[in-house]
Amino acid sequence: MDKAKRTAIIAGNWKMNKTPSEAKALLSEIAPLVKDADCEVIACVPYVDLAVAVEATKETNIKIGAENCHWAESGAFTGEISTGMLKEVGVEYVVLGHSERRQYFGETDETVNKRTKAALAAGLKPIVCVGELLWERECDITEEVIARQIKLDLYDVSEEDLKNVVIAYEPVWAIGTGKTATADQAEEVCAFIRATLAKLYNQAAADGVTIQYGGSMNDGNADELLSKTNVDGGLIGGASLVAEKFAAIVKAASK
Ligand code: PEP
């Protein structure tokens, strides 16, 4: 499939930033700057900001995502949030398997897979994050790491459900470090992800999946990264907290 036929998606990952009132202010700054975007625009925000964010973006083209969800519908999981809770608030997307969850909160491919299936069953669109550590790249096992994550994270996800999955390739060494993968490095791994999906499903299914790059993407490097055949969008951390920078990335994806 032609890249132009895939949905380009720019998603901000706000991480643990912005209180509800700050979220409202930032979204009202972003909204007029991205109103003519020719790509999907998403803000993934902390749980306590979700209701305010959904309300603040009601009349706009910005969609709201959460930064995680649990796989159970309800029960004794103190501190967790269910997919039903997210749906009722009006959330459409959810970031899963972010490297910070894997690194600091014991997230594994098995739990990413459970969360992914629960999100899909609830009608949420998961943004599933994969990426290698620096030493894994240095040991030349990037493709093995990525293939393993893709296979395990999407285990038992049907071809029909795959249509609602977004994959974010986020080399861990590039997240929040200011070190960006070169456009060629990003393209190489995003193409490998698509080839892995083609093996697991089929070429047509793989060709329909939006694959984002994430890792210090900003207004200065977005153009080049997004010009690559298999880079269909971006998952943006730091730069998504500055309205003009985020809007510039959305503009780059709209070309
Ligand atoms: C992220 O948090 O997913 C991310 C890519 O962060 P940053 O853009 O700050 O590297």
Side-chain angles (χ1 to χ4, degrees):
M1 188 200 269
D2 191 340
K3 172 176 175 163
K5 295 197 182 119
R6 283 193 286 273
T7 313
I9 302 178
I10 298 298
N13 172 23
W14 288 14
K15 313 193 189 204
M16 196 174 73
N17 292 294
K18 305 294 173 189
T19 64
S21 60
E22 289 167 347
K24 191 175 172 187
L26 178 55
L27 287 165
S28 60
E29 246 190 285
I30 293 172
L33 303 178
V34 302
K35 69 176 177 11
D36 299 320
D38 191 18
C39 66
E40 203 141 307
V41 183
I42 307 168
C44 299
V45 306
Y47 289 135
V48 293
D49 295 347
L50 288 171
V52 162
V54 168
E55 180 62 28
T57 52
K58 234 187 338 200
E59 309 295 331
T60 76
N61 55 337
I62 303 172
K63 297 183 169 159
I64 297 302
E67 297 178 16
N68 198 6
C69 69
H70 198 264
W71 54 85
E73 281 177 21
S74 62
F77 301 102
T78 303
E80 291 293 321
I81 298 287
S82 74
T83 57
M85 293 168 185
L86 298 180
K87 280 295 283 183
E88 192 171 317
V89 175
V91 167
E92 289 183 52
Y93 285 86
V94 57
V95 176
L96 294 175
H98 191 278
S99 65
E100 286 150 17
R101 301 290 325 164
R102 294 180 190 258
Q103 196 176 346
Y104 305 129
F105 302 101
E107 191 77 73
T108 64
D109 288 310
E110 188 185 2
T111 54
V112 175
N113 177 247
K114 284 177 159 184
R115 295 180 208 278
T116 301
K117 286 190 287 193
L120 288 164
L124 292 165
K125 294 180 184 170
I127 299 175
V128 178
C129 303
V130 297
E132 80 285 3
L133 304 172
L134 182 57
W135 71 273
E136 290 170 332
R137 177 165 279 268
E138 286 169 352
C139 291
D140 204 19
I141 59 164
T142 298
E143 292 194 349
E144 281 152 76
V145 171
I146 300 293
R148 182 187 156 88
Q149 290 175 335
I150 293 286
K151 282 180 195 167
L152 296 177
D153 296 352
L154 298 184
Y155 172 72
D156 211 17
V157 169
S158 69
E159 186 180 335
E160 194 50 34
D161 275 343
L162 185 70
K163 292 178 185 157
N164 290 317
V165 173
V166 176
I167 306 281
Y169 167 54
E170 299 212 310
V172 181
W173 47 271
I175 298 179
T177 59
K179 265 193 198 172
T180 321
T182 64
D184 286 341
Q185 283 172 323
E187 169 63 14
E188 193 180 6
V189 181
C190 289
F192 176 76
I193 290 172
R194 202 173 305 287
T196 304
L197 292 171
K199 270 194 211 154
L200 289 174
Y201 296 88
N202 55 65
Q203 193 63 53
D207 282 345
V209 176
T210 295
I211 303 177
Q212 301 173 309
Y213 167 78
S216 301
M217 193 189 264
N218 58 45
D219 45 334
N221 58 27
D223 255 331
E224 196 188 352
L225 286 160
L226 293 166
S227 72
K228 294 293 177 183
T229 313
N230 286 286
V231 181
D232 305 313
L235 183 57
I236 324 294
S240 71
L241 297 170
V242 182
E244 294 76 20
K245 289 188 182 180
F246 185 63
I249 299 170
V250 168
K251 198 169 168 197
S254 300
K255 284 179 188 158

